[in-house]
């Protein structure tokens, strides 16, 4: 069983490594569903020595219908991420009708494969992300993702969480029949990870492994929130080494 830890900041990357993670998805803006991280964060993550770093390529929050200008930006982000040392990229583009946009996604796949060749990276991993979970037809979307040459599919089974999507996750794994790696994500934690794997047959699980981390600030003005109403800047959620280790222990 492979564990991928989703890291939204450098502290989370360091925590993932300390907990024993060998593979991470690197992003920023987790409260927005994940956005493309900065080059500085990619370089810092690579410097930690974690063997596998998959970088999310998502230029903005919201839907997955992108303009030509946004696609050009995503192609550039892919090249920069791979040249900076990423071992994989995480992508996904949809049409207005809720289908996988094969033409646009193929452009991103081509940009990634070309950059990997120039970098001398033989085993680039391309993951199609949870844009899949808001497609109109699961089976058509799965066949499109496979045809595009993606290596991995991240999905919750088109449900709010992987535990709620168990039947669909099982269907996707069976339908994929080994043609693509299926990774279960959304709400995966030490309490449910083994159940998800055993019920569905997924080969990879994806988790933030987060818990509230106390701020080191001594002076505090708690009534002023920088993020969403009710958010707590003095106890942000961040990947924790013990949660990562606990997840790994479920499959040791």
């Amino acid at each position: 069983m492979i564990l991928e830890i989703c890291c939204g900041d450098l502290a989370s990357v360091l925590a993932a490594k300390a907990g024993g993670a060998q593979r991470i998805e690197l992003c920023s803006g987790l409260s927005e569903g994940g956005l493309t991280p900065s080059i500085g964060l990619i370089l810092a993550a690579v410097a930690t020595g974690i063997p596998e770093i998959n970088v999310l390529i998502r230029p903005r929050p919201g839907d997955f219908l992108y303009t030509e200008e946004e696609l050009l930006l995503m192609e550039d982000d892919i090249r920069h991420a791979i040249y900076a040392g990423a071992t994989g990229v995480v992508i996904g583009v949809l049409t207005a009708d809720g289908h996988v946009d094969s033409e646009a996604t193929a452009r991103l796949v081509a940009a990634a494969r070309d950059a990997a060749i120039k970098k001398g990276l033989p085993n680039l991993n391309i993951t199609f992300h949870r844009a899949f979970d808001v497609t109109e037809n699961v089976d058509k979307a799965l066949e499109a993702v496979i045809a595009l040459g993606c290596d991995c599919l991240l999905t919750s089974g088109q449900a709010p969480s992987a535990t709620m999507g168990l039947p669909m996750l099982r269907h996707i794994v069976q339908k994929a029949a080994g043609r693509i790696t299926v990774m279960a994500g959304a709400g995966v934690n030490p309490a449910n990870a083994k159940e998800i794997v055993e019920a569905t047959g997924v080969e990879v699980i994806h988790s933030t492994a987060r818990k509230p981390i106390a701020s080191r600030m001594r002076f505090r003005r708690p009534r002023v929130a920088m993020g969403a109403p009710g958010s707590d800047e003095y106890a942000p959620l961040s990947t924790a080494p013990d949660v990562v280790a606990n997840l790994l222990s479920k499959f040791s």
Side-chain angles (χ1 to χ4, degrees):
M1 176 53 51
I2 297 171
L3 171 65
E4 177 179 276
I5 300 297
C6 180
C7 299
D9 51 51
L10 182 56
S12 292
V13 175
L14 295 171
K17 183 182 181 184
Q22 298 295 301
R23 170 172 161 173
I24 66 170
E25 181 195 35
L26 188 65
C27 60
S28 63
L30 280 176
S31 62
E32 300 283 359
L35 300 171
T36 306
S38 70
I39 285 296
L41 180 55
I42 296 171
L43 290 169
V46 170
T48 68
I50 292 178
E52 297 180 55
I53 300 175
N54 296 323
V55 172
L56 176 63
I57 306 298
R58 187 178 178 221
R60 56 162 173 78
D63 62 44
F64 304 99
L65 178 64
Y66 296 113
T67 65
E68 174 62 20
E69 291 78 12
E70 287 172 327
L71 288 170
L72 289 170
L73 172 61
M74 293 165 80
E75 288 175 321
D76 275 344
D77 282 340
I78 285 169
R79 287 187 281 266
H80 289 311
I82 292 172
Y83 296 156
T87 60
V89 292
V90 184
I91 60 174
V93 187
L94 303 183
T95 68
D97 293 323
H99 302 297
V100 172
D101 189 331
S102 293
E103 182 179 348
T105 305
R107 285 176 53 180
L108 303 185
V109 170
R113 298 292 185 205
D114 180 66
I117 290 171
K118 291 178 179 176
K119 177 72 174 178
L121 178 63
N123 298 314
L124 178 76
N125 181 82
I126 298 180
T127 297
F128 195 97
H129 57 50
R130 289 189 62 217
F132 179 88
D133 289 326
V134 290
T135 55
E136 185 269 339
N137 183 288
V138 167
D139 290 350
K140 288 182 180 179
L142 176 62
E143 294 304 322
V145 170
I146 292 171
L148 284 161
C150 294
D151 305 289
C152 183
L153 171 64
L154 171 61
T155 174
S156 64
Q158 293 205 322
S161 68
T163 53
M164 296 175 69
L166 291 180
M168 183 59 78
L169 277 167
R170 183 166 55 250
H171 170 80
I172 292 167
V173 170
Q174 292 171 349
K175 195 77 174 177
R179 293 176 294 161
I180 191 171
T181 298
V182 180
M183 174 166 54
V188 178
N189 58 58
N192 62 26
K194 195 165 186 179
E195 173 197 359
I196 292 168
V197 171
E198 291 176 347
T200 65
V202 295
E203 302 172 65
V204 188
I205 53 174
H206 172 96
S207 175
T208 59
R210 294 191 298 173
K211 68 180 183 181
I213 305 296
S215 168
R216 295 180 290 109
M217 289 292 295
R218 289 190 295 273
F219 173 79
R220 302 186 179 194
R221 196 178 297 278
R223 292 191 300 275
V224 180
M226 298 293 128
S231 61
D232 187 353
E233 275 73 34
Y234 302 107
L237 291 171
S238 188
T239 299
D242 59 313
V243 181
V244 175
N246 196 358
L247 275 164
L248 287 168
S249 73
K250 302 300 179 182
F251 305 99
S252 61

